[in-house]
Amino acid sequence: MKSNQKHQTIGVDFPNSAHKKLPIGWKRKTLGSIANVSWGDTKTTKSSYVNLGFDAYSAKGQDGYLPWADYEKTGVVLSAIGAECGKTWLAKGKWSCIKNTIRFWATDPGINTEFLYWATCHPSLWPKRGSVQPFISQGDARVLEIDIPPLSEQHAIAHILGTFDDKIELNRRINETLEKMARALFKSWFVDFDPVRAKMGGRDPALPKHIADLFPDRLVESELGEIPEGWQVKLFGDIINRLGGNINPFTYPDTVFSHFSIPAYDEGQFPKQELGTEIKSTKTRVPSGAILLSKLNPEIERVWLVDVMDDEAAICSTEFLVLQGRTPIQRSYIYCLACNSFFREQIKSLVTGTSKSHQRAPASAIIKLEVVFPPGSIAQMFESRASELFNRVLYCRREIKTLSALRDALLPRLISGEIRLREAEKVMQNVM
C-alpha cells in the first residue's frame, strides 16, 4: 500500500472569502458551474479491494486498489462523511473512488483542476451537515464558492504548490527505500543468518573480508531454534533500558512541548508542538536517541525513530515504551528488531483486552520476550552501516517538515491573491 500523504489536505487556516474583495482579474464562481461534480461509485466498497490494481479512494483517502479504473484523468476526491469529512486528495492517472466520496474535475476550459484541488483542500471550507456523523451533500458541494484567478495564475499556483508536494513525496520515497535497506540488512544478519549459512555452504558471504570474518561458520540449537555459534539468547529487557520519567505538562503551562502521540505517529511521524496548558494527562519524557515502541494495538506497527535535540522538551504518550539500547546494542539494532515481523508476532501474542480498538501488550511481558544477542563486534558493525541510513532518514524527515511548513504558509496567501507569484517563486527556488 502506498502512502496516503501525497496530495492530501493539510492543516492550514484559510481566510473566509465569502465577503472578501477579489484581486483584479479574479472571479468568484460555484464549484458546480465550473466542474463535473458527482458521487463516487456508491455500489463499490472496500470489500472489492484487491492486492494489486488501480488506485482506489475511499472516505479515508487512497487506501486500496481495484482491478478496474473508472477514470483516467486528473481529478479531486472529497471525503463526504466520517472522521475525514472535508479532506481532499488529488488523483492522477487511472483511478476510482468508492462509496462515501464525491469526485470532481474542471469542465470549464478556463479552469485548472490542480488549482481546484489547492483551492478546496482545507476541510473547513466545505459545508457539513450532521452533528454526530458529519457529511457533505452533493448539492452543498456544487454551491461551494471559489475565487478563481486568470488561468495563467492558476497554472503558476498549482505548479508552485505541486513542486513542494512533489519534493515532499520524493523525500518520503527515499525514506521508504532507506528503511527497507536497513531492515533487510538486519534480517539478513540477525534473523536469516545469511553470512553464517553462506560460510557453512562454502559460498562467498558477499561481504568485505573483515566483516565476513566476524561471523561463525556454524549454527547451534537454542531456545529460539538455530542461532550462530557463540551468539546468545537473552531477554529483550537485557539489551535495552526502558526509560521512565513521567511528567505532567499542565504544570508547565508556558513550555512548548514536542508531543509524540499515537495520532501524531499515524499522521506522518511528526510530533505536535503544544503548550503545557493544552496537554491534560501525564506523559513520559523522551530523551535524544530514544526509540518509541507502542504497546497499544500491536497489530499496527508503531515504532518511532524519534528526532529529539538535547535541549528539547519532548514527551510522549504513556502508550509508548521509551527505549534505549544497552552497550554494545545501539539504536539502529533496537529499532530494526522492534520492527521485525518475528518480534512483532511475539508482541501480538501478548495482547490483553477484548475491545478491538484498545488491545494492549503489557510492558512487563514485552521486556521478557526472548531475542538473539550477537557479539558486540557484529552489533557495532551493523550500527556503523545502519546508522548512516537512519541519519539520512532523519535528515529527509526534517526537510519534509520544513517544506510542509513553507507550503502551508504559502497556500492560503496564494489562493487568496494576498501574495504575488514572484515572491512565492523566490521562496520555492531558495529551498529546492
Side-chain angles (χ1 to χ4, degrees), residues 80-147:
I81 192 169
E84 307 295 316
C85 186
K87 285 192 175 183
T88 55
W89 295 268
L90 184 64
K92 292 185 175 182
K94 296 180 179 180
W95 54 277
S96 298
C97 53
I98 65 173
K99 189 176 181 180
N100 297 329
T101 64
I102 294 173
R103 88 313 176 262
F104 57 92
W105 51 78
T107 53
D108 185 319
I111 305 297
N112 177 287
T113 295
E114 292 192 34
F115 170 81
L116 278 186
Y117 161 72
W118 291 109
T120 62
C121 72
H122 197 270
S124 66
L125 294 175
W126 294 93
K128 301 181 184 72
R129 301 174 184 267
S131 54
V132 177
Q133 179 83 308
F135 70 93
I136 300 168
S137 72
Q138 192 177 146
D140 285 346
R142 286 199 175 105
V143 299
L144 179 71
E145 291 187 333
I146 303 170
D147 294 343

Side-chain angles (χ1 to χ4, degrees), residues 11-47:
V12 296
D13 292 326
F14 273 49
N16 187 336
S17 63
H19 304 290
K20 179 176 66 68
K21 184 178 179 180
L22 296 178
I24 296 174
W26 289 47
K27 297 179 181 179
R28 182 166 294 147
K29 297 186 178 183
T30 61
L31 183 63
S33 70
I34 57 176
N36 182 318
V37 182
S38 186
W39 294 116
D41 185 350
T42 57
K43 295 180 180 179
T44 302
T45 65
K46 293 183 183 182
S47 63

Side-chain angles (χ1 to χ4, degrees), residues 268-305:
Q269 298 187 41
F270 291 102
K272 299 291 177 64
Q273 301 301 305
E274 298 177 326
L275 283 170
T277 53
E278 301 170 345
I279 306 170
K280 308 301 182 184
S281 58
T282 298
K283 305 299 175 185
T284 306
R285 295 181 186 275
V286 180
S288 175
I291 297 293
L292 305 186
L293 170 62
S294 171
K295 59 182 187 288
L296 176 68
N297 299 331
E299 75 278 1
I300 303 173
E301 181 186 303
R302 293 188 179 106
V303 186
W304 204 335
L305 187 77

Side-chain angles (χ1 to χ4, degrees), residues 182-217:
R183 293 192 193 194
L185 181 64
F186 178 89
K187 185 174 184 292
S188 175
W189 285 16
F190 304 116
V191 179
D192 298 332
F193 312 127
D194 288 335
V196 179
R197 294 184 188 279
K199 294 174 78 169
M200 288 172 61
R203 303 187 306 277
D204 182 0
L207 292 170
K209 185 176 184 304
H210 70 284
I211 298 178
D213 287 347
L214 300 175
F215 290 87
D217 58 5

